[in-house]
């Protein structure tokens, strides 16, 4: 049991007066490369991180769900039969409950809508859910998918739903899209459910085919540094939705089902047909898809030391074409590279959050000091900097 498990268990006991039936957890994720490609049916290469969200859960017999969290003052309680009145939330509209509670309650709603699940399966089965987490919120490390994965894993077992991990990832995505109103793809949920130690997940977001790609970071004498800028982002706000709409517009102009079906060779024609902003959004997604494929190939053929230029090119594309970086992210990337990082890029949806740097193991303190100094020189809030390793996905802890 981790300290986060202990915190969730203690909160559950305080809430109910007894121990939970079980404790489940799911990790956040770092996306090694492949940003804003997931909802365009493209390719991504994330990995699960050691930071996890924990759900201590137990049944109750009154068909009500009560959720509590160490990061909220008051629990939220609703009747199971009221979930259909709360959700779905139209994209961009605030949930009818506090946003943190919309994630676990949205999972309960989405799980009940899953194919093969009926009220007969969960008749009378209410729940108390206590949540604790050490995944940084708003850092682009998918704290939301971690909540969804931990909750879905717990409910799947306690409600005897019998869904596999990919189906649970779909439940999490539906909760995020329709209950919370964030128009994200499925990458985060798949990474949180399928993660394995020392491996990234090469995911085809159209077919949901997932293959583990050994990254060999430690074996190569390297480390992955996360630089959380502490600039909070929110997927349910407008910038993310505007980027998604531009991608859909670009695919329609090209007569393609999605930007997955547009190749690098098609970009000259796309530039002729589109306005400048739409074209640059399209160019990012199309070239980012190719960078994911190239990164997988290079990892398999040459190892992690050879992917630095691909990471740098990805950041430049997000900064210039997709325009989702912020000065703090650019500062983190530039300072890490100047201090000797092999590669660096922002990770996550953008508009804040974190950047990552691939560095020598013995350079962690040197790069950390350089990034801190660059933030201080720009009068930015000091970043939170730590290393991560590819880790296990969602599971029952106790």
């Amino acid at each position: 049991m981790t300290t986060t498990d202990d915190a969730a268990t203690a909160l559950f006991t305080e809430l109910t007066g007894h121990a939970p039936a079980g404790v489940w957890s799911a990790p956040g994720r770092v996306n090694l490369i492949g940003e804003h490609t997931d909802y365009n049916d493209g390719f991504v290469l994330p990995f699960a991180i050691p930071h996890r969200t924990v759900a201590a859960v137990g049944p109750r017999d009154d068909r009500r769900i009560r959720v509590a969290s160490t990061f909220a003052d008051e629990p939220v309680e609703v009747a199971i039969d009221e979930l259909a009145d709360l959700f779905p939330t139209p994209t961009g509209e605030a949930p009818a409950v506090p946003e943190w509670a919309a994630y676990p309650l949205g999972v309960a709603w989405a799980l009940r809508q899953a194919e093969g699940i009926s009220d007969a399966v969960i008749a009378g089965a209410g729940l108390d859910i206590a949540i604790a987490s050490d995944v940084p919120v708003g850092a682009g490390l998918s704290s939301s998918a971690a909540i969804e994965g931990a909750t879905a894993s717990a409910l799947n077992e306690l409600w005897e739903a019998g869904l596999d991990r990919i189906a649970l990832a779909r439940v999490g995505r539906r909760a995020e899209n329709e209950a919370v109103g964030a128009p994200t793809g499925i990458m985060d949920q798949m990474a949180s459910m399928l993660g394995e130690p020392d491996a990234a997940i090469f995911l085809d977001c159209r077919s949901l085919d997932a293959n583990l790609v050994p990254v060999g970071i430690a074996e190569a004498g390297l480390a992955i540094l996360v630089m959380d800028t502490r600039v909070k982002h929110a997927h349910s706000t407008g910038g993310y939705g505007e980027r998604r709409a531009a991608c859909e517009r670009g695919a329609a102009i090209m007569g393609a089902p999605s930007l997955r079906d547009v190749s690098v060779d098609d970009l000259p024609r796309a530039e002729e047909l589109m306005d400048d902003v739409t074209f640059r959004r399209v160019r990012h997604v199309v070239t980012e898809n190719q960078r994911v494929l190239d990164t997988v190939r290079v990892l398999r053929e040459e190892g992690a030391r050879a992917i630095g230029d691909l990471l740098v090119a990805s950041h430049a594309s997000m900064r210039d074409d997709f325009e989702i970086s912020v000065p703090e992210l650019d500062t983190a990337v530039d300072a890490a590279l100047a201090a000797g990082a092999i590669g660096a890029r922002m990770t996550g949806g953008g508009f804040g959050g974190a950047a990552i740097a691939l560095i020598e193991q013995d350079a962690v303190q040197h790069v950390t000091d350089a990034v801190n100094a660059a933030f201080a020189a720009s009068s930015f809030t000091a970043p939170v900097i730590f290393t991560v390793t590819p880790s296990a996905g969602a599971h029952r802890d106790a």
Side-chain angles (χ1 to χ4, degrees):
M1 297 273 285
T2 67
T3 55
T4 312
D5 290 69
D6 292 341
T9 300
L11 178 61
F12 183 94
T13 303
E14 178 184 344
L15 189 69
T16 67
H18 58 82
V23 177
W24 291 260
S25 71
R29 64 96 189 93
V30 157
N31 192 21
L32 188 60
I33 198 163
E35 229 63 77
H36 289 265
T37 51
D38 56 347
Y39 56 80
N40 288 291
D41 286 348
F43 303 103
V44 293
L45 192 65
F47 61 85
I49 61 176
H51 301 70
R52 303 181 73 86
T53 293
V54 176
V57 187
R60 48 193 288 172
D61 59 8
D62 59 358
R63 290 185 65 81
R64 296 185 69 81
I65 297 180
R66 178 170 51 172
V67 293
S69 168
T70 56
F71 44 80
D73 292 333
E74 298 292 336
V76 175
E77 183 173 331
V78 300
I80 289 178
D81 296 324
E82 293 174 357
L83 290 172
D85 297 327
L86 290 176
F87 310 122
T89 296
T91 298
E93 183 177 316
V97 295
E99 185 170 287
W100 71 266
Y103 290 101
L105 293 174
V107 165
W109 167 78
L111 186 56
R112 293 185 71 211
Q113 310 299 315
E115 186 175 354
I117 306 301
S118 68
D119 276 348
V121 175
I122 59 172
L127 296 164
D128 282 308
I129 304 171
I131 294 171
S133 181
D134 65 3
V135 183
V137 175
L141 302 179
S142 201
S143 57
S144 57
I147 294 175
E148 293 154 5
T151 306
S153 298
L155 271 57
N156 188 50
E157 185 171 335
L158 293 176
W159 281 352
E160 299 180 350
L163 299 182
D164 63 23
R165 290 187 172 207
I166 292 177
L168 292 178
R170 287 192 176 106
V171 165
R173 177 180 60 177
R174 188 172 188 191
E176 187 140 348
N177 289 174
E178 300 182 35
V180 180
T184 59
I186 200 170
M187 172 184 68
D188 296 349
Q189 292 80 11
M190 289 288 281
S192 188
M193 294 304 302
L194 299 178
E196 292 289 346
D198 196 36
I201 303 157
F202 175 37
L203 176 64
D204 180 334
C205 295
R206 171 172 284 169
S207 67
L208 297 189
D209 287 341
N211 295 282
L212 296 177
V213 179
V215 291
I217 298 295
E219 182 182 359
L222 302 175
I224 295 175
L225 200 67
V226 173
M227 302 166 288
D228 178 5
T229 66
R230 299 173 69 187
V231 177
K232 301 301 183 186
H233 74 167
H235 282 169
S236 56
T237 54
Y240 195 106
E242 289 169 4
R243 297 310 186 277
R244 184 163 186 163
C247 293
E248 293 170 352
R249 184 167 63 249
I253 290 171
M254 295 299 288
S258 74
L259 292 183
R260 159 69 174 273
D261 303 291
V262 179
S263 73
V264 172
D265 291 340
D266 294 324
L267 289 176
R269 185 169 74 91
E271 188 171 18
E272 294 177 355
L273 297 174
M274 300 174 190
D275 64 86
D276 177 65
V277 171
T278 301
F279 170 69
R280 287 188 290 109
R281 306 299 188 247
V282 168
R283 181 168 59 187
H284 164 71
V285 173
V286 171
T287 57
E288 187 81 344
N289 267 329
Q290 186 60 52
R291 281 187 288 270
V292 174
L293 299 176
D294 291 343
T295 301
V296 170
R297 175 184 54 78
V298 171
L299 281 171
R300 288 171 170 164
E301 295 177 359
E302 304 177 53
R305 286 183 174 275
I307 67 171
D309 288 347
L310 290 161
L311 302 182
V312 173
S314 175
H315 183 77
S317 181
M318 290 184 286
R319 181 192 64 212
D320 301 335
D321 277 354
F322 223 60
E323 296 182 289
I324 54 173
S325 190
V326 296
E328 289 87 347
L329 286 168
D330 294 337
T331 296
V333 168
D334 292 344
L337 292 171
I342 293 168
R345 64 185 288 273
M346 59 153 284
T347 187
F351 308 104
I356 58 171
L358 182 64
I359 63 175
E360 303 287 349
Q361 278 182 355
D362 59 7
V364 170
Q365 192 60 54
H366 172 65
V367 177
T368 297
D369 290 345
V371 173
N372 279 324
F375 270 59
S378 297
S379 298
F380 295 149
T381 300
V384 176
I385 302 176
F386 51 93
T387 59
V388 293
T389 56
S391 302
H395 54 67
R396 179 169 179 154
D397 292 3

